[in-house]
Amino acid sequence: MNAATTPSDVRDGLVSIPGGTFSMGSPADEGWRGEDEALHEVEVSGFFLASFETTQADYERLMGANPSANAGAGLPVESVTWYDAAAYCNALSAEAGLSPAYAIDGATVTWDLSADGYRLPTEAEWEYACRAGTTTPFNTQTSISPDTEANYYGTYPYGIEENYFSQGGLETRPGVYRQTPIEPGSFAPNAWGLFDMHGNVAEWVWDYYGPYDEAVQIDPTGAPTGALRVNRGGGWNDFAKSLRSAYRAALPADGASPSVGFRVARNAAAKTGVLGAQVATTATGDGDVLVAFFSWSGNTRGIAQEIARQTGFDVVELECEQPYSSDYNTVLEEAQRDQNVQARPALATRVGDMDRYGTVLLGYPNWWASIPMPIASFLGSYDFSGKTIVPFCSHGGGRLGQSVSAISKLAQNATLGEGLSVHYSGGSGLAADVSAWLERNGIGR
Ligand SMILES: Cc1cc2nc3c(=O)[nH]c(=O)nc-3n(C[C@H](O)[C@H](O)[C@H](O)COP(=O)(O)O)c2cc1C
């Protein structure tokens, strides 16, 4: 890391970030790193980045609407799609008399690099600014406190998964889980004056999701096309492992989450060129609907049965060749170990006529804030191009966690529907929740 200076210049709420080079991604020994975080050298030109996440007051004033699930004028805007964030940038440019960064034509968005208006940071700019010279998992070094450093699912600090039964070894012990975004700027900023780069809401960036090019990069702008856009930094509902500076979440550009918002950026010097391509879409076939699920203690099975009761769709339970232990403490260990090494446990269940199905309603329990690895095995066993996957999950408080991002990355050729999260078995509201969810996804009965 050899960034030129420490930024001190803040104008119109944007910090002047000096150009420099840094190692993007995570070292091989970083705990809970993803396979998509290959370490590589990146040179970033100077740019401006907002000190704070965009608030609901900011957004509503310009856009005349507020989609946030957790309402509060001073809270960060969330539940915005990537397109909403791009449109907001243009509206802010128009108000300031600047040239718009984006040309938005339906699902096609192109970025005019010469524009002086507001825009989303690139993924590389975001990580460079988040790190602010650090090479550790967080810009707060090797752990991050939910009480004093960032707003996240503080019951699950960094490393809790493999230390669940021996918490004495943890650098940060479990702390507060606020269950909501909070006002940006509630904690100290990073070394470059940027608040909440970790936690509160994850932040959309420009880039399509794709593997890193490991050659030395100068101002990389991500994959040329794709179906998913990246968001960074993790949010109020994420475990610490998903707040890491190198962690990459990806969702369909028209997806929205109460844990995802954004902050704006601007060029510091004029650039040239136009970027962007038609979003890669795959035609979704009509076909039949299959309900496929994995369940350990029966709650997800109950949701699948309710879906079948309402629809009559085919149902298949995904079972492993080597079942997980029926002992709770043991399965906690087995599940985190499998997730940590991204295992693909062999499935005993085989869907013989997958071609027949155009839509798969995919159910699972939230395990360690993501999918159980048998779901990854299932997604790797069939070609989901042209199919629609609609996730449903049972959880103990973490809702969908990072499971939708995980499914998106594993089935990039599928179209993703809106997910349903059910608290444990869902209780008496289950039938109505399932019915409303099917309706929202336009799934006929
Ligand atoms: C290994 C394991 C990990 C879990 N991790 C989480 C979690 O990170 N977040 C959460 O909200 N619930 C978590 N839970 C709770 C389950 O999601 C919840 O009990 C769910 O209802 C189980 O669904 P099932 O009966 O279909 O297995 C976990 C449970 C197990 C067994």
Side-chain angles (χ1 to χ4, degrees), residues 267-318:
N267 290 351
K271 299 185 182 184
T272 53
V274 175
L275 274 179
Q278 173 73 43
V279 58
T281 49
T282 44
T284 45
D286 293 334
D288 293 338
V289 180
L290 175 70
V291 182
F293 73 94
F294 169 81
S295 180
W296 181 73
S297 56
N299 290 334
T300 310
R301 186 181 302 118
I303 306 168
Q305 285 165 349
E306 177 57 28
I307 297 169
R309 191 187 67 75
Q310 293 190 22
T311 61
F313 294 152
D314 297 347
V315 179
V316 61
E317 176 160 4
L318 305 174

Side-chain angles (χ1 to χ4, degrees), residues 318-329:
L318 305 174
E319 292 180 287
C320 296
E321 275 182 12
Q322 303 262 295
Y324 285 94
S325 169
S326 57
D327 174 68
Y328 183 66
N329 286 358

Side-chain angles (χ1 to χ4, degrees), residues 153 239 294-301 328 331-332 335 365-369 394-399 424:
Y153 202 146
F239 286 24
F294 169 81
S295 180
W296 181 73
S297 56
N299 290 334
T300 310
R301 186 181 302 118
Y328 183 66
V331 75
L332 285 180
N366 175 334
W367 273 12
W368 295 112
S394 171
H395 68 97
R399 306 172 203 222
Y424 294 114

Side-chain angles (χ1 to χ4, degrees), residues 88-299:
Y88 174 84
C89 290
N90 274 3
L92 198 57
S93 303
E95 183 187 51
L98 301 169
S99 52
Y102 303 124
I104 303 174
D105 177 12
T108 306
V109 178
T110 50
W111 172 18
D112 174 1
L113 282 97
S114 71
D116 61 358
Y118 291 90
R119 60 176 177 80
L120 297 174
T122 65
E123 187 174 13
E125 287 173 338
W126 190 96
E127 186 172 328
Y128 174 65
C130 172
R131 291 188 173 281
T134 62
T135 56
T136 40
F138 309 93
N139 61 33
T140 51
Q141 306 299 320
T142 47
S143 77
I144 190 157
S145 162
D147 300 336
T148 57
E149 291 178 323
N151 181 27
Y152 70 95
Y153 202 146
T155 324
Y156 299 96
Y158 193 43
I160 184 77
E161 296 84 356
E162 61 272 47
N163 291 285
Y164 200 63
F165 299 107
S166 56
Q167 298 187 1
L170 288 173
E171 196 172 316
T172 299
R173 299 290 180 91
V176 63
Y177 173 33
R178 298 175 185 81
Q179 305 198 37
T180 172
I182 59 174
E183 292 209 357
S186 300
F187 303 108
N190 73 3
W192 290 357
L194 302 162
F195 295 86
D196 304 297
M197 295 299 282
H198 297 298
N200 211 23
V201 286
E203 301 172 11
W204 287 115
V205 296
W206 160 261
D207 303 38
Y208 282 116
Y209 177 73
Y212 288 147
D213 185 337
E214 291 176 45
V216 176
Q217 301 283 297
I218 300 172
D219 291 329
T221 51
T225 185
L228 309 174
R229 297 278 183 172
V230 174
N231 64 77
R232 290 300 216 105
W236 59 271
N237 188 41
D238 284 311
F239 286 24
K241 63 186 173 188
S242 306
L243 266 62
R244 290 178 304 104
S245 301
Y247 179 70
R248 313 176 70 200
L251 291 174
D254 60 358
S257 156
S259 224
V260 181
F262 65 96
R263 80 176 67 215
V264 298
R266 279 183 66 190
N267 290 351
K271 299 185 182 184
T272 53
V274 175
L275 274 179
Q278 173 73 43
V279 58
T281 49
T282 44
T284 45
D286 293 334
D288 293 338
V289 180
L290 175 70
V291 182
F293 73 94
F294 169 81
S295 180
W296 181 73
S297 56
N299 290 334

